[in-house]
Amino acid sequence: MARPAFSSPAGVAALLPKFTDPDADIRYMSLNDLDNLLRSGAPGFLANDFNICARTVDGLVKSLDDTNGEVQNQAVKCIGSLTQKAPSDVLPALVDKLTNLKCTNAIDNSISATALRTFITSFPLPAVGVQPSRSTQEAYTAISKVLIPRLVGYAVVPYAAKTYERLLPPALLEVQQNGGVDNDALDVLIELIRSFGPMLQDVEKKALQKSTVAILNHERTSSVAKKKAVSAVSFLALYVSDALLSIFVSNTLESLSKPNLTAPQHRLLIMMIGSLARTIPQRFGRFVKTLVPFALRVVSEEEYRKAMEETAENGGSDVEGDEVREAALLAIEACLLCCGNDMRPYTDESIQAALRFLTYDPNLAGSGDDEMDASGNSDVEEAQSDAEEDDFEEEGAMSDDEDVSWKLRRCAAKVLYAIISTRSNGDLLDSGVLYHRIAPVLVTRFQEREESVRLEVLGAMTALIRKTSVEPRTLFTFAGETELEMTSAVEARSRKRRRLGSDATLFESPINTVTIAGFTSPETSPPPTSGPRADLARLSGRIIQSLAKLLRDSTSATKQSGIALLREMVIVQRGGLAQHFQNVAGPLVNAMKSAPSGSHPRSVGSAASATDGKLRIEALQLLCAVCDHHSSTIVAPHASNIVPAVVAAVKDNYVKVSSEAIVAVEGLLKVLTPPRSASADRVNATFVEQLYTVILDRTLAIDADVEVRQRAIHALGVLLARGSGTNKGNTLSDAQRKRSTEVLLDRLRNETTRLSAVRAIDMFLISSQDMHHLPKGWMQDVAMELGAQLRKADRVLRGASLAALRDMAGNSIALSCLDTKNLEALAGILLPLVDANDLNLLGMALVILAKLVRHSPGQIADQKLNAAVVEIIKTPLAGGVLDALLLLLKAIGEKGVGKALMQNLLDVGVNGDPAVVGKAIGTLLVAGTSTVGVQLDDFVRELQNVEDEQRKCLALSVLGEVGQRLGTSSPLQPALFTAHFSAKSQSLPRAAATALGRAGAGNIEKYLPVILSSTSQSGSSQYLSLHAIKEILQSSSQSKADVSPYAKPMWDKLLAASQAEDNKAVGAECIGRLTVIDPKTFLPSLKGLLENGTPPVRGMAIQAIRFTLSDSDEGFDEVLRPMLIPMLTLMLDDDDLENRRLALGALNSAMHNKAEMVLPNLPDLVPLVMKESKVKPELVREVQMGPFKHKVDDGLEVRKSAYETLYTLMEGAYSRISPVDLFDRIIAGLEDEHEIKVLCNLMLAKLVMVDPDETSRHLDSIAERYKAILTFKPKESAVKQEVEKINESTKGVLRLTLLLHKTLPASTSTGNNLQGEKWKGYWELVAKDFRTQLMSVEQEETA
């Protein structure tokens, strides 16, 4: 943009006379024009005109003393703009004039301080360890020369002494005899330290600290000024040296030890402890053992009794003494949150103090704790403001000076919350301390008469219950709910795939609609006999009884917190309200209802409305949890009250309430309809009718929010699914079902509701088992619409549509509705998806085609399909996609239409992957028998006669597949394969071993004895025999072959063969798979090998155990359960470094596959993992490489495995790990090698979502590590790989920085928040120096 023509010194000079114009509007507009001119002018356009700059400064300073407030504010803005364009010589003069300004005309006398703060914040802020910009350096020089001497009253540095050769006026921070200290000067000091703290010299820090401490110690200083002084000291502590900090702490300690401390002084010193703990937690940790006892002494049993005695004598509590105790509790809370490890020795004292003062109410003599105020509660707004106030109170701010005991109770609840949030995971929760000592007291305080205290108590109890959950919480939006269910279902099946059958089941089997549509009541299992969940179960009755009283007659805030607590209880216990729901149902219904019009005061209508909406959402979410985790017999009796309230909520204008109510409708539909409901009686039918009507109305409503319509469509799909199978009762009439299906088809054609309609139709197709429920015309239209969605760019929509087509093809009734034209069209639409570039869509497309081939082979299995199959078969396929392809080939062969395809596959031959092509040809050959044009003997002759190695490998692969599929009817002999073990080629013997194993899986009696005899030989024959055994064991579950008669000799042979170095890996896998087959016999033997004196044998046993964890069944789990934890402990404590690495991998696998066995014992296992994540100096050695010496860390691989295991534990059991210990290891990992830094970044990306509060408490430490990574410069001699790693680390850090900034916006917001100050400075550094890279990362994230 072109600069204005008057962006010149002359333009500035022309505006100066107008600053003194009598008209305030002219003065304001001239200042506004000056601000625009300064902002748009070139950076140095005033640099050579000192006279105009000086006149401008004089004019702006005079404008600050204007009688018009808007003129003053505009002058402040101009000062900020002028500092960017004025020469450096002007800056000291400007600061000098501002510090000496005495306002005579201005209404606001603090305007000079405001101008100084604007001056300070106008420059780019410096960062520790980074060279400041030129303008920042010039600003610091002016501050050092003028501002700091004016604040402290004397010249601190030599060049400042030259500036002030004259006598300095009184210091701005000096305490005046008649008026105390200037609070505005303290504001300037705080801003100075925040902005220029990294540049301050030691003498300046010492001088500022001295002046601030003098303010704290002076008796004439007001409480407001002392509060600001504490903030200033805390900010300054970020930048002072360790020596200066130690001196300050020593002085504080000395002051605390004085016997004649007044209450205000005592309170101030205690508050300093908490303030420093929040500001510099890492550096303050070493002072905890000397300072925290003083805080604990204030809230000791002795002090408590003394306070109660004084209250009894004086007829009221000691307000000043209570304020000291409040400060002590706040300091303890800060130390617990910020210095968790250092506070461990004081855990018991902290708990005792918090429990002691949680019931502290000296002014309520003779009254029970359950007694409430006559009005029910204190004012909501006052309670909220009280809950958010700072540690200090301004004078006169309390409404009731006679009773501040409620503040102590609130602080005690905060202390308990801090203990629960930092010491529960795998610590005090498992030891029973939290439930045996803290929880009962919290429950008794539910009837607390003060609103803010009651909310803190409920919040602490909710946090404890949430920590009790053994499952990680996953946050997701509605749009991903079904996708999440699909993912969970696929993962659950993948863990059992080998014992259930082919990997094609990942694509072939539909989603378990029993789970999605809620066809069965939730399984109720008795609570465990011991552990946190057992403790919660024993306490549940008391909790619900106390909450029921609150929910009947309390404020909206209390009801909301109570309902949230109940919801957590239901989720954690997977029920728990069966015996008490009748006590909760009434208040729950009342909470779901909208507040009557006009019930809120006009002045607070919007706030009350928002609170009402949040309460209703919480109530609806609790209802959903109850429906999901309780039998229909619990909820159905209350349907007459619940259903009308939910229907009214669905119709609510507030989108979030309406959306949540529709989810509640789904839960009610599952409860009120068969088979979960005992019968579809007329009463339930009436309720279902009401729910159906409101859902259909929301689905069709044009004015409804998109989210509401999408959820309504999903609910309509659930209702259709529940009324469309066998034995479901008459949930819907024929007319209602027809109308619903027409609406779904219409919504399927709408772009905004398409995805929800696809998923709803999918549920309907899976469940529909009546030909009358699927009209032929409707089914054909749906099939074509689903096919059309496959051409869309939206990947989620394509996946959902493909899943719906898969389920349609699996429904014989739905498939019979399609005519030849529809089938051919579908096949044409699916063929473009037969592409190896997208394996997820490819697998499902192949499964659908296989089903269509079985239905109409003549129309589907044409040359186009053959060509598509030939193309993908040239690529190396594996896993579920390969099994899906074989499923299609089997269908083609069985239908007798595979001759042309066989010829095409033979033409591909060795041009594709021999293993894939061989399996394909073998499958088609067995399925098609005589219809494919080739015979088994053709491939036998090929193997015996050709010389080409690739063709031999292909023939072996075909024969191995044929042998497995033919089973005992196969004419193939083992010698046909073993004859090629001695071939000179590298690939042919391995192909022969694999083929021998696959053929042997089909005929154990013929092949396995031959293979076992080969294992007695040495060299390559033994190695190849092990591979054959591995193939047999892998395939035995699919072919259902029984290897148990040969298990014992096989075990002995495998142990002997695995002693060779080359055979260890494959031998361990075979031993592990064999152990799964007969765990009672072999698992104890495997455990015994862990105690073998030879490290390689123990390593082989560890690998074998790891293989058992992924492939197992229920029988194996019963044998493994009592042995797993002792084995893991033994493995993790192994003396050999490599064995410990393998053991960490085994624990990782156990968490993925046997989490229910591992979780209860994590307190014993996590410390072993933490230990391996630490750098061990004894494992670091120097290696001479030519003229250079390089450090080699032998423990790096073990640490990598440890961090990988920590990542798995964090994902699956974060509630069972100490967050303090986990964050300590993550922050240490950010200083480790590149691979570990990457893992730590991944963990932080998860933790910021799972536990944002704990993440925010460690932002300063993260900032220090991230800054070191970003500012690291590689050597000029660095190789390409090192530079690439550095660039990757930088990009990863910027990505996490952006995520943390967006997720925790308060951490980088302005304000006097002591905690997170280093993170704010780091963010400003990144936003300035890495702006381009940050924008690039942000664009990648949004793309």
Side-chain angles (χ1 to χ4, degrees):
M1 183 178 71
R3 298 186 181 94
F6 55 83
S7 294
S8 63
V12 175
L15 293 172
L16 295 180
K18 299 179 183 180
F19 292 178
T20 57
D21 193 280
D23 190 339
D25 290 339
I26 293 178
R27 298 198 301 274
Y28 174 84
M29 292 306 300
S30 62
L31 288 167
N32 184 65
D33 292 341
L34 176 63
D35 184 57
N36 292 333
L37 189 150
L38 291 172
R39 290 179 183 275
S40 60
F45 82 102
L46 289 177
N48 298 321
D49 205 323
F50 184 86
N51 181 41
I52 291 180
C53 286
R55 290 169 55 199
T56 303
V57 168
D58 291 338
L60 292 176
V61 172
K62 289 180 181 179
S63 296
L64 291 174
D65 194 22
D66 199 280
T67 57
N68 187 287
E70 293 184 357
V71 173
Q72 286 182 303
N73 294 335
Q74 195 61 39
V76 171
K77 289 179 62 179
C78 289
I79 287 176
S81 303
L82 179 64
T83 55
Q84 302 299 313
K85 304 294 166 59
S88 59
D89 296 338
V90 175
L91 298 181
L94 173 60
V95 175
D96 184 58
K97 290 180 181 294
L98 291 176
T99 55
N100 290 292
L101 176 63
K102 302 295 182 182
C103 295
T104 57
N105 301 317
I107 300 175
D108 183 7
N109 291 326
S110 66
I111 193 68
S112 60
T114 304
L116 280 171
R117 294 203 307 272
T118 302
F119 171 85
I120 293 170
T121 57
S122 297
F123 298 92
L125 300 184
V128 178
V130 180
Q131 184 68 27
S133 63
R134 180 179 176 182
S135 61
T136 301
Q137 184 63 51
E138 292 172 350
Y140 166 69
T141 302
I143 289 171
S144 183
K145 282 183 177 181
V146 181
L147 181 56
I148 294 178
R150 284 291 289 114
L151 288 172
V152 300
Y154 59 93
V156 179
V157 292
Y159 52 78
K162 295 180 181 179
T163 303
Y164 280 106
E165 294 178 354
R166 56 185 171 85
L167 183 65
L168 276 169
L172 295 176
L173 295 177
E174 182 179 342
V175 181
Q176 304 296 327
Q177 293 298 323
N178 54 352
V181 71
D182 186 2
N183 290 336
D184 297 327
L186 284 168
D187 291 334
V188 173
L189 173 63
I190 291 172
E191 199 61 58
L192 166 64
I193 298 172
R194 286 186 68 253
S195 301
F196 287 89
M199 298 183 69
L200 293 176
Q201 301 177 48
D202 287 341
V203 290
E204 293 172 328
K205 297 172 188 175
K206 187 175 182 179
L208 292 174
Q209 187 184 76
K210 180 180 178 182
S211 297
T212 310
V213 172
I215 294 173
L216 291 173
N217 294 331
H218 204 287
E219 59 183 11
R220 289 185 176 273
T221 307
S222 66
S223 63
V224 176
K226 289 184 176 181
K227 168 186 175 181
K228 293 182 178 181
V230 168
S231 298
V233 171
S234 300
F235 280 123
L236 192 60
L238 289 167
Y239 307 107
V240 299
S241 64
D242 289 340
L244 194 57
L245 178 63
S246 298
I247 293 173
F248 176 77
V249 171
S250 298
N251 293 335
T252 303
L253 185 62
E254 183 180 348
S255 300
L256 283 168
S257 303
K258 293 179 180 178
N260 56 347
L261 272 179
T262 63
Q265 290 174 330
H266 200 179
R267 177 175 181 261
L268 190 68
L269 293 169
I270 295 294
M271 293 303 291
M272 184 67 69
I273 296 174
S275 184
L276 289 175
R278 291 186 182 93
T279 311
I280 50 171
Q282 288 77 31
R283 300 174 65 193
F284 186 75
R286 59 194 176 100
F287 302 112
V288 163
K289 62 182 179 180
T290 56
L291 290 177
V292 168
F294 287 97
L296 290 169
R297 189 181 304 162
V298 174
V299 289
S300 64
E301 177 68 21
E302 180 183 354
E303 289 292 326
Y304 177 79
R305 291 178 180 175
K306 180 180 178 182
M308 297 301 292
E309 290 173 359
E310 290 179 353
T311 301
E313 291 176 3
N314 302 329
S317 61
D318 178 14
V319 175
E320 289 188 345
D322 283 349
E323 288 178 347
V324 176
R325 299 178 191 103
E326 178 193 2
L329 290 171
L330 287 172
I332 293 169
E333 179 206 5
C335 292
L336 286 168
L337 291 174
C338 302
C339 309
N341 284 332
D342 300 290
M343 282 293 292
R344 287 180 183 273
Y346 306 102
T347 300
D348 189 64
E349 292 180 70
S350 300
I351 293 175
Q352 290 179 4
L355 294 178
R356 188 176 298 125
F357 283 92
L358 187 64
T359 58
Y360 177 70
D361 201 351
N363 295 322
L364 192 64
S367 298
D369 289 328
D370 294 343
E371 184 178 343
M372 302 287 288
D373 290 342
S375 59
N377 294 282
S378 61
D379 183 76
V380 177
E381 289 186 350
E382 181 183 343
Q384 291 174 345
S385 64
D386 287 338
E388 295 172 357
E389 68 181 355
D390 292 327
D391 297 339
F392 285 85
E393 299 267 0
E394 293 193 13
E395 290 181 336
M398 290 188 301
S399 59
D400 185 4
D401 289 337
E402 298 302 323
D403 182 16
V404 295
S405 63
W406 63 269
K407 294 184 179 181
L408 272 72
R409 298 196 299 275
R410 187 184 65 183
C411 293
K414 288 183 177 182
V415 171
L416 293 177
Y417 183 90
I419 292 171
I420 291 169
S421 61
T422 58
R423 296 293 307 281
S424 58
N425 302 6
D427 191 357
L428 300 181
L429 183 65
D430 295 308
S431 65
V433 171
L434 298 185
Y435 270 109
H436 295 164
R437 294 181 59 186
I438 295 178
V441 182
L442 287 175
V443 174
T444 62
R445 299 307 302 172
F446 283 180
Q447 306 303 320
E448 162 68 44
R449 58 194 177 91
E450 177 64 37
E451 174 79 7
S452 61
V453 181
R454 188 163 59 247
L455 293 178
E456 289 290 346
V457 170
L458 291 171
M461 193 67 205
T462 303
L464 175 56
I465 294 173
R466 187 180 294 116
K467 293 286 187 181
T468 309
S469 175
V470 296
E471 298 176 355
R473 300 298 178 88
T474 306
L475 303 177
F476 54 88
T477 60
F478 169 75
E481 285 179 12
T482 306
E483 185 177 357
L484 180 67
E485 290 166 349
M486 290 175 64
T487 304
S488 300
V490 168
E491 288 178 351
R493 287 197 300 270
S494 67
R495 294 180 190 138
K496 303 178 182 180
R497 59 182 180 269
R498 287 190 174 89
R499 65 174 179 268
L500 293 179
S502 168
D503 279 357
T505 55
L506 295 176
F507 303 107
E508 186 177 6
S509 301
I511 303 299
N512 187 357
T513 55
V514 171
T515 301
I516 294 179
F519 287 156
T520 61
S521 292
E523 297 181 1
T524 57
S525 57
T529 56
S530 60
R533 289 186 63 200
D535 296 333
L536 175 60
R538 285 189 286 269
L539 195 62
S540 293
R542 292 176 56 190
I543 294 174
I544 297 170
Q545 184 179 4
S546 297
L547 286 177
K549 297 179 182 178
L550 287 182
L551 297 180
R552 281 194 296 268
D553 184 21
S554 190
T555 63
S556 293
T558 297
K559 290 180 180 178
Q560 182 180 333
S561 298
I563 290 174
L565 192 154
L566 279 176
R567 177 167 53 85
E568 291 295 335
M569 278 185 57
V570 172
I571 294 173
V572 170
Q573 297 184 108
R574 301 182 184 90
L577 290 184
Q579 305 298 325
H580 309 278
F581 188 66
Q582 67 274 9
N583 299 328
V584 178
L588 180 61
V589 171
N590 292 332
M592 287 189 287
K593 294 179 180 178
S594 176
S597 176
S599 63
H600 299 298
R602 189 180 301 272
S603 59
V604 294
S606 59
S609 177
T611 303
D612 177 63
K614 293 178 181 178
L615 173 61
R616 298 176 71 193
I617 290 172
E618 286 287 354
L620 291 165
Q621 290 176 345
L622 172 57
L623 177 61
C624 293
V626 170
C627 292
D628 288 342
H629 297 286
H630 291 81
S631 169
S632 61
T633 57
I634 304 299
V635 183
H638 305 277
S640 58
N641 295 323
I642 293 175
V643 171
V646 173
V647 169
V650 172
K651 298 177 181 178
D652 197 90
N653 293 329
Y654 187 26
V655 173
K656 293 183 178 180
V657 171
S658 179
S659 179
E660 203 64 50
I662 294 174
V663 181
V665 168
E666 287 191 26
L668 286 173
L669 287 173
K670 297 171 186 177
V671 167
L672 297 175
T673 55
R676 275 188 64 178
S677 179
S679 63
D681 54 29
R682 195 183 334 182
V683 177
N684 280 4
T686 303
F687 297 142
V688 173
E689 174 78 19
Q690 296 176 22
L691 297 175
Y692 165 78
T693 302
V694 72
I695 288 299
L696 190 64
D697 176 69
R698 291 292 86 189
T699 303
L700 295 172
I702 300 176
D703 58 340
D705 187 80
V706 174
E707 180 184 349
V708 172
R709 280 185 287 162
Q710 289 174 345
R711 290 197 169 188
I713 291 168
H714 191 272
L716 188 61
V718 170
L719 182 56
L720 278 172
R722 295 187 66 81
S724 300
T726 60
N727 242 347
K728 305 270 189 333
N730 298 321
T731 304
L732 293 176
S733 65
D734 291 340
Q736 290 173 333
R737 186 177 292 105
K738 180 180 179 182
R739 177 59 175 154
S740 301
T741 54
E742 290 173 351
V743 169
L744 288 182
L745 178 58
D746 180 68
R747 298 296 91 184
L748 180 59
R749 292 167 175 160
N750 184 290
E751 184 176 356
T752 58
T753 57
R754 189 172 286 151
L755 180 59
S756 298
V758 168
R759 289 169 171 166
I761 290 172
D762 190 11
M763 286 189 290
F764 178 42
L765 291 175
I766 294 172
S767 306
S768 185
Q769 301 176 21
D770 191 329
M771 61 183 301
H772 300 293
H773 295 170
L774 293 173
K776 185 174 182 180
W778 181 84
M779 193 66 252
Q780 292 176 355
D781 291 341
V782 166
M784 293 300 98
E785 284 294 332
L786 290 174
Q789 308 313 316
L790 299 180
R791 299 191 179 99
K792 298 291 191 298
D794 189 340
R795 179 171 176 80
V796 177
L797 176 62
R798 292 168 68 195
S801 301
L802 203 58
L805 285 172
R806 175 201 61 199
D807 298 330
M808 181 201 69
N811 189 326
S812 58
I813 298 175
L815 202 56
S816 64
C817 295
L818 305 184
D819 55 22
T820 302
K821 182 179 178 181
N822 299 136
L823 292 171
E824 291 177 350
L826 277 180
I829 293 171
L830 289 168
L831 284 180
L833 300 180
V834 184
D835 186 349
N837 292 326
D838 194 334
L839 297 181
N840 287 328
L841 297 183
L842 171 60
M844 277 198 288
L846 292 172
V847 169
I848 296 171
L849 286 169
K851 294 179 179 180
L852 295 180
V853 166
R854 294 184 185 278
H855 182 266
S856 301
Q859 288 77 27
I860 307 301
D862 56 9
Q863 188 56 39
K864 293 181 181 178
L865 177 60
N866 294 346
V869 170
V870 167
E871 284 300 316
I872 64 168
I873 214 167
K874 294 178 181 178
T875 59
L877 302 176
V881 176
L882 177 58
D883 290 334
L885 173 62
L886 299 180
L887 187 70
L888 172 60
L889 295 174
K890 182 180 179 181
I892 293 173
E894 290 177 347
K895 291 299 178 179
V897 290
K899 185 174 182 179
L901 179 57
M902 175 62 80
Q903 187 58 49
N904 293 337
L905 294 177
L906 293 174
D907 292 340
V908 173
V910 295
N911 294 324
D913 185 354
V916 177
V917 177
K919 286 187 176 184
I921 293 174
T923 301
L924 187 58
L925 177 62
V926 174
T929 60
S930 60
T931 64
V932 294
V934 293
Q935 297 179 354
L936 178 62
D937 292 340
D938 296 334
F939 293 98
V940 174
R941 287 192 294 270
E942 177 88 359
L943 176 63
Q944 293 173 341
N945 298 331
V946 299
E947 297 296 330
D948 183 79
E949 179 183 325
Q950 291 296 320
R951 293 178 65 182
K952 283 181 175 290
C953 290
L954 177 59
L956 284 168
S957 181
V958 172
L959 294 173
E961 189 69 22
V962 170
Q964 182 188 16
R965 291 185 177 273
L966 289 179
T968 56
S969 62
S970 170
L972 301 177
Q973 299 298 320
L976 183 66
F977 303 97
T978 56
H980 299 278
F981 277 15
S982 58
K984 301 299 183 182
S985 165
Q986 292 183 352
S987 57
L988 187 58
R990 182 69 176 270
T994 302
L996 175 64
R998 291 192 68 81
N1003 195 341
I1004 298 293
E1005 293 79 4
K1006 181 190 290 187
Y1007 281 78
L1008 192 53
V1010 177
I1011 297 173
L1012 289 177
S1013 65
S1014 300
T1015 58
S1016 301
Q1017 304 174 12
S1018 59
S1020 60
S1021 295
Q1022 188 182 62
Y1023 176 77
L1024 295 171
S1025 298
L1026 290 177
H1027 273 282
I1029 293 175
K1030 183 188 78 171
E1031 198 68 34
I1032 289 177
L1033 295 174
Q1034 281 181 334
S1035 306
S1036 61
S1037 59
Q1038 298 179 19
S1039 61
K1040 298 182 180 179
D1042 184 15
V1043 299
S1044 55
Y1046 304 93
K1048 188 60 174 69
M1050 194 187 310
W1051 175 269
D1052 296 335
K1053 296 279 188 182
L1054 289 172
L1055 284 181
S1058 299
Q1059 301 300 316
E1061 186 65 29
D1062 294 339
N1063 298 342
K1064 281 181 183 177
V1066 63
E1069 182 174 356
C1070 293
I1071 291 172
R1073 298 190 187 283
L1074 183 59
T1075 302
V1076 175
I1077 295 174
D1078 189 0
K1080 292 183 179 179
T1081 301
F1082 299 124
L1083 196 56
S1085 301
L1086 200 55
K1087 182 183 178 182
L1089 292 176
L1090 295 176
E1091 300 176 355
N1092 190 283
T1094 307
V1097 174
R1098 298 198 303 271
M1100 182 271 297
I1102 294 172
Q1103 287 180 288
I1105 291 172
R1106 180 178 179 181
F1107 281 112
T1108 67
L1109 299 173
S1110 58
D1111 293 337
S1112 57
D1113 54 24
E1114 288 73 12
F1116 174 79
D1117 289 349
E1118 290 302 317
V1119 180
L1120 177 66
R1121 186 169 283 106
M1123 303 176 64
L1124 178 59
I1125 301 305
M1127 288 194 299
L1128 287 173
T1129 305
L1130 198 60
M1131 291 187 289
L1132 291 169
D1133 208 23
D1134 197 285
D1135 295 334
D1136 187 75
L1137 188 66
E1138 176 63 16
N1139 286 351
R1140 293 202 300 274
R1141 185 187 69 82
L1142 295 173
L1144 289 167
L1147 175 58
N1148 205 333
S1149 178
M1151 269 301 300
H1152 281 293
N1153 300 282
K1154 310 291 180 188
E1156 70 281 359
M1157 301 183 193
V1158 177
L1159 288 176
N1161 301 277
L1162 278 183
D1164 299 327
L1165 299 174
V1166 171
L1168 298 175
V1169 181
M1170 295 283 188
K1171 183 178 69 173
E1172 297 302 329
S1173 67
K1174 298 177 181 179
V1175 177
K1176 299 180 179 178
E1178 64 271 16
L1179 297 178
V1180 180
R1181 54 191 172 88
E1182 281 192 350
V1183 177
Q1184 188 80 31
M1185 298 182 66
F1188 305 103
K1189 289 184 178 180
H1190 293 272
K1191 287 186 177 181
V1192 176
D1193 189 351
D1194 293 329
L1196 176 59
E1197 292 301 319
V1198 178
R1199 290 205 307 281
K1200 284 169 57 178
S1201 296
Y1203 274 99
E1204 290 170 357
T1205 306
L1206 283 176
Y1207 182 85
T1208 301
L1209 293 172
M1210 178 203 68
E1211 278 195 312
Y1214 178 70
S1215 63
R1216 318 298 292 171
I1217 306 174
S1218 169
V1220 177
D1221 294 339
L1222 180 61
F1223 271 95
D1224 283 348
R1225 298 318 312 145
I1226 292 174
I1227 291 169
L1230 292 175
E1231 298 177 312
D1232 212 315
E1233 297 297 327
H1234 171 73
E1235 296 85 352
I1236 295 177
K1237 290 178 184 175
V1238 172
L1239 285 169
C1240 291
N1241 281 334
L1242 291 174
M1243 295 168 75
L1244 282 175
K1246 294 278 187 182
L1247 287 170
V1248 72
M1249 301 297 179
V1250 176
D1251 195 349
D1253 293 338
E1254 192 67 31
T1255 306
S1256 64
R1257 286 194 282 268
H1258 292 82
L1259 283 179
D1260 283 348
S1261 300
I1262 295 170
E1264 292 178 0
R1265 276 69 178 180
Y1266 276 1
K1267 188 184 298 180
I1269 295 173
L1270 293 179
T1271 55
F1272 178 77
K1273 303 297 181 184
K1275 298 179 181 178
E1276 294 182 0
S1277 59
V1279 297
K1280 181 181 178 181
Q1281 290 82 355
E1282 292 179 2
V1283 176
E1284 289 176 349
K1285 283 185 177 181
I1286 293 171
N1287 293 336
E1288 185 181 345
S1289 295
T1290 300
K1291 191 173 183 179
V1293 165
L1294 291 176
R1295 183 178 290 109
L1296 260 297
T1297 300
L1298 188 63
L1299 176 64
L1300 292 167
H1301 171 67
K1302 289 182 176 179
T1303 311
L1304 305 170
S1307 61
T1308 49
S1309 61
T1310 58
N1312 293 341
N1313 182 19
L1314 302 179
Q1315 195 172 351
E1317 190 65 25
K1318 291 184 179 180
W1319 176 262
K1320 294 175 188 175
Y1322 164 73
W1323 171 253
E1324 291 167 355
L1325 168 71
V1326 171
K1328 174 192 169 208
D1329 294 348
F1330 297 88
R1331 183 178 181 182
T1332 304
Q1333 295 133 293
L1334 198 65
M1335 291 176 61
S1336 175
V1337 169
E1338 189 170 13
Q1339 290 173 357
E1340 290 180 8
E1341 294 294 321
T1342 56

